[in-house]
Amino acid sequence: MDFVSLIPSAGNLVFTVGAFILALSIIVTVHEYGHYIVGRWSGIKAEVFSLGFGPVLAKRTDRHGTQWQIAALPLGGYVRFLGDANAASAKAAPEVAGMDAETRRHTMHGAPLWARTATVAAGPLFNFALSILVFAVLALGRGVAIEPPTVADLAPLPATVTDRSDLLPGDTILALNGTSTPDYTTFYAVVDTLPTDEPPTYTVRRDGTEREVTGPYPFPPIVASVQPNTAASEVGMRPGDVVLSIDGTPIRAFRELQSRVAETGGKPVDVAVWRDGETLEFRLTPKSMDLPMPDGTFETRWLIGMTGGLAFESATRTPGPVEALAYGTDQLVFILQSSLSGLYHMVTGAISSCNLSGPIGIAESSGAAASQGLETFVWFIAMLSAAVGLLNLFPIPVLDGGHLVFYLYEGITGRPPSDQAMRFLMALGLALLIGLMSFALTNDIFCP
């Protein structure tokens, strides 16, 4: 890899770093607040809540005696509870042994097992809750599509992509080429069977009556979204762009675009794009990516980093709070399942270990997401929050998952691990974590 490519221009660097710090600060604050508030509810006193490490830039002490502070290095945070020898709460300070029973009860190390377990588990769980809440709020803002598929508006398309369209806003689509489409699942399945070289016939309900009209291919080569840190984002492609051709070959459907890119084997392609009545030319180099499949496996594809959209904007309705939260939960479950499956397939060698990003890759993705607008950036924060919560649950000493394993051992045996075992395991856990971070950083530098 060209090391110079890792050094953005000054303006982009500031923007990327700023977006990364903002995303990380939100996620860390929520995570540590989970530890803090559940600890307080459980009778464990927090002495310090710090956003960042190092020299303290600003601080205040609340009525509960907790010092809230912002430190100079905004790359994490911690809560230090009464009696902790360090920010990891892994060891009790020497003075804990001399405390009376009531004071000791307010320390992490003197609290009942249930209180310690709840306090430690709260950090990752608050990260998961943040993800669910953000996804739910986005669903409330976007709405959910009305079924049967209903046209809210038509996407602007050039004549080279669609010859004719008699669809109108407000049309309810009942069938495509005579096949019923009562919902979007069926609609998408029918679209896969349609020829791309001739306009399909839509059966629609309009003004209370059914009629047949000619319309565009439902999935033209229109860009619905551009993924951060991909070939499409690097050249400045935007949602709403319509791909006219690849290497001079006309494109009329998004699936044709996918096929053409898949056939490149990673070689650069020349893409002609229609944008606001103008034709633009881009050269993109597809990147190999491992995509999760519904059955839990992965498929390696050459991609340029954009998703396709319908030829029309779907009419939507506002979901209820329960439905929105259910949607948010489904999104979280999908992210967790995909992450665990990806890690498993990397360990077994089924997919490339380059799928594991380090701080540089995450920072680049943060900047790219922020550059695409607030909604994309907020969505990215929700995804990253889920990933951070999952990582913290790994059974590695120094992480929350490691502490929970210690508590499980204590619950089974009736006693905590010995001090000697704790020192060894914490050192081992720290070495594993540093090794993992170093490996991910190496990926950021050397992976294509």
Side-chain angles (χ1 to χ4, degrees):
M1 172 177 283
D2 180 7
F3 283 85
V4 175
S5 66
L6 293 174
I7 308 175
S9 63
N12 287 340
L13 177 60
V14 171
F15 183 82
T16 297
V17 172
F20 176 58
I21 290 175
L22 177 59
L24 185 64
S25 297
I26 292 171
I27 292 167
V28 168
T29 298
V30 169
H31 180 95
E32 296 301 334
Y33 186 78
H35 290 317
Y36 162 78
I37 194 63
V38 173
R40 201 182 85 186
W41 291 341
S42 302
I44 302 173
K45 177 179 172 55
E47 292 188 315
V48 176
F49 185 113
S50 180
L51 181 58
F53 299 96
V56 177
L57 302 178
K59 64 182 180 180
R60 63 173 291 271
T61 301
D62 67 14
R63 61 188 179 87
H64 300 287
T66 301
Q67 177 175 298
W68 298 75
Q69 64 185 41
I70 298 175
L73 301 176
L75 298 177
Y78 62 89
V79 175
R80 192 180 73 231
F81 293 101
L82 177 66
D84 286 350
N86 52 54
S89 299
K91 182 180 179 182
E95 58 266 24
V96 172
M99 291 179 178
D100 59 75
E102 182 179 353
T103 304
R104 183 179 172 82
R105 168 60 182 83
H106 296 300
T107 68
M108 175 65 85
H109 305 277
L113 182 60
W114 68 264
R116 286 177 278 146
T117 301
T119 299
V120 170
L125 292 180
F126 268 54
N127 281 134
F128 296 155
L130 172 63
S131 295
I132 292 173
L133 182 61
V134 169
F135 289 135
V137 170
L138 290 175
L140 288 170
R142 292 175 175 175
V144 296
I146 294 173
E147 295 181 325
T150 303
V151 179
D153 202 357
L154 297 171
L157 296 171
T160 53
V161 172
T162 178
D163 300 321
R164 173 184 172 189
S165 177
D166 297 323
L167 279 177
L168 293 177
D171 285 350
T172 297
I173 301 171
L174 305 177
L176 283 172
N177 280 5
T179 303
S180 177
T181 55
D183 52 47
Y184 275 95
T185 300
T186 307
F187 180 85
Y188 297 148
V190 174
V191 170
D192 288 339
T193 68
L194 298 178
T196 61
D197 57 353
E198 59 184 41
T201 298
Y202 290 73
T203 302
V204 302
R205 182 187 299 117
R206 181 184 298 170
D207 299 328
T209 62
E210 292 187 17
R211 64 185 71 191
E212 291 187 349
V213 299
T214 300
Y217 183 78
F219 276 101
I222 189 171
V223 179
S225 65
V226 178
Q227 307 305 313
N229 200 26
T230 60
S233 67
E234 289 170 0
V235 300
M237 292 191 68
R238 305 174 188 170
D241 287 349
V242 180
V243 177
L244 302 177
S245 66
I246 290 185
D247 289 336
T249 302
I251 299 293
R252 292 176 63 90
F254 194 80
R255 70 186 189 192
E256 292 180 344
L257 168 63
Q258 293 173 308
S259 298
R260 296 285 182 183
V261 172
E263 293 168 357
T264 64
K267 296 179 181 178
V269 292
D270 293 317
V271 179
V273 170
W274 181 87
R275 178 188 296 170
D276 299 329
E278 296 183 13
T279 300
L280 308 175
E281 299 284 345
F282 298 107
R283 169 158 281 208
L284 294 84
T285 302
K287 297 182 180 181
S288 177
M289 299 185 69
D290 298 302
L291 302 179
M293 297 291 103
D295 61 358
T297 61
F298 279 75
E299 181 176 282
T300 302
R301 297 180 187 171
W302 291 101
L303 303 174
I304 56 178
M306 56 193 188
T307 61
L310 289 167
F312 58 88
E313 181 181 334
S314 299
T316 61
R317 60 177 176 81
T318 301
V322 174
E323 184 180 3
L325 288 173
Y327 170 81
T329 302
D330 288 342
Q331 291 296 310
L332 172 66
V333 171
F334 174 76
I335 293 170
L336 298 183
Q337 288 178 337
S338 299
S339 299
L340 290 173
S341 178
L343 288 172
Y344 170 78
H345 284 83
M346 277 189 278
V347 171
T348 59
I351 63 175
S352 171
S353 60
C354 286
N355 286 280
L356 182 65
S357 295
I360 295 176
I362 296 173
E364 289 178 340
S365 296
S366 300
S371 68
Q372 294 184 33
L374 180 61
E375 183 175 328
T376 302
F377 185 55
V378 170
W379 184 277
F380 175 80
I381 290 175
M383 293 182 62
L384 188 59
S385 181
V388 168
L390 178 61
L391 174 64
N392 272 277
L393 284 178
F394 284 179
I396 300 176
V398 311
L399 295 180
D400 294 331
H403 287 281
L404 293 175
V405 171
F406 295 150
Y407 296 156
L408 177 62
Y409 173 86
E410 182 178 346
I412 294 173
T413 65
R415 64 181 186 278
S418 66
D419 289 343
Q420 184 177 2
M422 284 289 290
R423 284 194 296 270
F424 171 77
L425 291 172
M426 294 297 287
L428 177 62
L430 183 60
L432 287 172
L433 193 59
I434 292 175
L436 179 62
M437 293 176 63
S438 299
F439 179 75
L441 182 60
T442 302
N443 280 354
D444 290 341
I445 297 173
F446 294 106
C447 283

